[in-house]
Amino acid sequence: MILNGSPRPKGNTAAMAAAYAEGAREAGHEVNIVDVCKKKIAGCLACEYCHTKGKGKCVQQDDMQEVYPLMEETEMIVLASPIYYHSFTGQLQCAINRIYALDKPKSLKKAALILSSGSNHVYCGAFYEYQSSFLNDLHLEDMGIFTAYGTENKSEEKLAELREAGRKLQ
């Protein structure tokens, strides 16, 4: 599953996510791309309903309810986002925070990160969250970090790199 946090349907991040998905599909994988910016996903309320009365279910009835079943079945999650102020978009951050209700999705084993930016050296916040929250806390295998900035965005070389990374998934 790819959580695409870009609000631009034909933007750089969407192109990178699509190339990665294309390669993964060529390798025989089923890929769901969830465009979180097209969804109504509120931020976590920190109410702890999910870990008390809810038994893994979030109290909020919004579009995240469509994402949870996919999360429970997926073996790999890819976070894709343009960089806004050194981290993910707010829309993607809301979806990431809401994964908390599941603790660790039962089938999830791997993760990858796709980031797009206008300049180089702005990825620190996203790297930290990915490495701490996803890889370390959820005990996931790192399947790669892919970044593009400036003229690399939508370049055939970058899209080919992402297609090949998707093809190599096992």
Side-chain angles (χ1 to χ4, degrees):
M1 173 170 48
I2 299 174
L3 291 181
N4 176 15
S6 176
R8 302 167 95 190
K10 297 183 190 274
N12 299 322
T13 303
M16 292 170 70
Y20 194 84
E22 180 184 335
R25 287 182 182 123
E26 288 173 10
H29 298 286
E30 181 181 331
V31 180
N32 292 300
I33 298 178
V34 178
D35 292 315
V36 297
C37 293
K38 293 180 182 175
K39 306 273 185 202
K40 291 188 190 250
I41 299 174
C44 178
L45 298 173
C47 66
E48 289 297 325
Y49 176 85
C50 57
H51 294 148
T52 56
K53 297 176 193 168
K55 298 179 183 165
K57 305 273 188 228
C58 182
V59 71
Q60 297 186 79
Q61 298 300 307
D62 59 10
D63 290 345
M64 194 65 186
Q65 299 305 319
E66 299 168 16
V67 179
Y68 284 136
L70 298 173
M71 290 287 308
E72 287 287 60
E73 295 175 6
T74 194
E75 293 178 11
M76 181 175 172
I77 187 169
V78 178
L79 303 176
S81 183
I83 294 297
Y84 287 4
Y85 294 102
H86 302 275
S87 196
F88 304 122
T89 60
Q91 296 94 324
L92 180 58
Q93 192 64 59
C94 284
I96 290 169
N97 290 351
R98 295 280 297 283
I99 295 170
Y100 176 73
L102 302 176
D103 274 332
K104 181 181 189 239
K106 51 188 162 197
S107 299
L108 192 59
K109 294 174 180 50
K110 301 175 184 180
L113 183 62
I114 295 173
L115 301 172
S116 172
S117 179
S119 59
N120 200 5
H121 311 296
V122 295
Y123 304 113
C124 297
F127 287 170
Y128 178 80
E129 182 163 353
Y130 171 71
Q131 291 167 336
S132 294
S133 296
F134 280 83
L135 300 182
N136 293 340
D137 291 349
L138 296 177
H139 308 289
L140 302 178
E141 180 182 352
D142 183 11
M143 301 308 292
I145 296 174
F146 306 92
T147 63
Y149 72 95
T151 58
E152 287 181 338
N153 284 302
K154 289 190 182 174
S155 71
E156 190 45 48
E157 295 81 17
K158 184 54 69 174
L159 298 178
E161 174 190 343
L162 286 155
R163 277 188 214 96
E164 184 59 25
R167 278 188 207 102
K168 289 181 177 178
L169 293 174
Q170 295 182 24

